[in-house]
Amino acid sequence: MAEISQSESDSTLFTLEQTRSDLMEVDASIRACLNWDYGERDNRIWSLYQKNKKSQWDAETYIDWDYDVRFGAPLDDAYSAGVATFVVGTESPVPKELLNEFRWQYQAWMVSQFLHGEQGALVATARLVETVPDMESKIYAASQVADEARHVEAYAKYIDEKLGESYPINPGLKALLRDLLAESNWDIVYLGMQVVVEGLALAATRLAGSGFGDPIITSITKMIARDEARHVGFGSVALAGLYDGMTSKELDEREKFLLEAIHLMSRRFLLREVWERMDLDVEKGVRFAQTDPMMFGYRQLLFQQVIHLLRQLGLLTPKLRDLFLTENLARPEAFRNLG
Ligand SMILES: [Fe+2]
Ligand SMILES: [Fe+2]
């Protein structure tokens, strides 16, 4: 056998990400799985799949794209931009005269993070098609891939053609996508994507749908929230009962992943990138996002769904509960029956 020269072995380490800032690459060792048992086709996952097929909507034609979105124009109070209305008061890093700009920047940041999260969902769910053992889950995940492609299309079109302002992926979301795409256990990809990322996306799209600054993004977000509700339902049905039979070592691995995932996601809502872009006092902004009662009330609303799903799956361990409490992502009442 010919020896591999130094330059050849170096080239195997070369990644496109090293030269292209628009790419992120993740190496993974996965086990693709085919299944010759095509199932009963009468269970909940098949019926969720049927709903997915019938609920496809086309952003090109379904959304009315005529409205003229003018980035930075004074916002109508009818569109209160959700969390942006919280950024008032003496501790706020945003002076009154910049409140309107903040609302627009916040909207651009939020929609950009939705878009990056949708791409993460697209790629992670495609992974599930290959790796999940059951046929009904493969079929469902494939239909979800098509949903996520439409979500990417809708948000990208809105940013490019209407908003004209965008943000790079938040470092916490990027780190979580890296972690879960490197993961070889299919159920951990589920936990990261279908429970944590999708659970947060569902809550955020529901809250944002009524608070964004124009009718186009409001209707896109409303349509996407409907699809996400089915995706979250799929995660909880597909994983139901799976953890009852796992060893403590396997459960520890899941807990470790979830602790990291939730920690990363909680950092996401400190709006650091927005404070930076607006040239405001970044430390003051982060402190405000961490401590303002309205801001952490908003984060608690977002994490409710994740806590609910983890409880259903039997994964809401004392360590996770402590993390939710120390990072101010939940109130103690959320764990009343947990012991
Ligand atoms: Fe989506
Ligand atoms: Fe989704």
Side-chain angles (χ1 to χ4, degrees), residues 114 117-119 121-122 144 147-152 155 193 198 201 205 224-225 227-228 231:
F114 282 162
E118 295 296 352
Q119 186 189 172
L122 173 73
Q144 184 181 327
D147 285 349
E148 307 300 5
R150 291 183 301 97
H151 298 172
V152 169
Y155 281 138
M193 201 65 232
E198 296 274 358
T205 47
I224 289 179
D227 295 346
E228 299 304 349
H231 302 170

Side-chain angles (χ1 to χ4, degrees), residues 118 121 125 144 148 192-203 227-228 231-232 305 309:
E118 295 296 352
T125 316
Q144 184 181 327
E148 307 300 5
M193 201 65 232
Q194 306 294 123
V195 176
V196 179
V197 179
E198 296 274 358
L200 286 173
L202 176 60
D227 295 346
E228 299 304 349
H231 302 170
V232 169
Q305 178 80 36
L309 287 166

Side-chain angles (χ1 to χ4, degrees), residues 41-172:
R41 287 181 298 284
D42 61 355
N43 59 27
R44 275 198 60 199
I45 293 181
W46 275 102
S47 73
L48 281 170
Y49 164 65
Q50 298 298 343
K51 274 195 200 145
N52 260 20
K53 273 197 300 186
K54 293 184 183 112
S55 311
Q56 301 276 312
W57 50 279
D58 182 354
E60 285 280 343
T61 53
Y62 194 90
I63 304 294
D64 179 358
W65 293 92
D66 284 346
Y67 184 88
D68 184 21
V69 179
R70 279 175 298 134
F71 192 88
L75 274 173
D76 189 327
D77 271 348
Y79 294 113
S80 57
V83 76
T85 56
F86 301 168
V87 190
V88 287
T90 49
E91 295 305 311
S92 170
V94 186
K96 213 167 169 229
E97 63 277 14
L98 292 181
L99 195 56
N100 192 65
E101 191 197 335
F102 174 78
R103 288 174 170 187
W104 280 104
Q105 291 293 348
Y106 174 73
Q107 179 166 322
W109 178 83
M110 194 77 166
V111 177
S112 300
Q113 301 317 316
F114 282 162
L115 172 61
H116 303 311
E118 295 296 352
Q119 186 189 172
L122 173 73
V123 175
T125 316
R127 167 79 55 80
L128 289 178
V129 177
E130 282 190 281
T131 54
V132 68
D134 299 330
M135 182 51 59
E136 61 265 33
S137 292
K138 285 183 185 300
I139 299 279
Y140 180 87
S143 71
Q144 184 181 327
V145 170
D147 285 349
E148 307 300 5
R150 291 183 301 97
H151 298 172
V152 169
E153 177 195 3
Y155 281 138
K157 182 176 164 72
Y158 173 76
I159 286 176
D160 285 348
E161 297 177 16
K162 292 292 169 180
L163 206 57
E165 181 96 4
S166 64
Y167 279 77
I169 186 166
N170 167 269

Side-chain angles (χ1 to χ4, degrees), residues 169-176 264 273:
I169 186 166
N170 167 269
L173 179 59
K174 190 173 182 182
L176 176 56
L264 288 172
E273 302 95 310

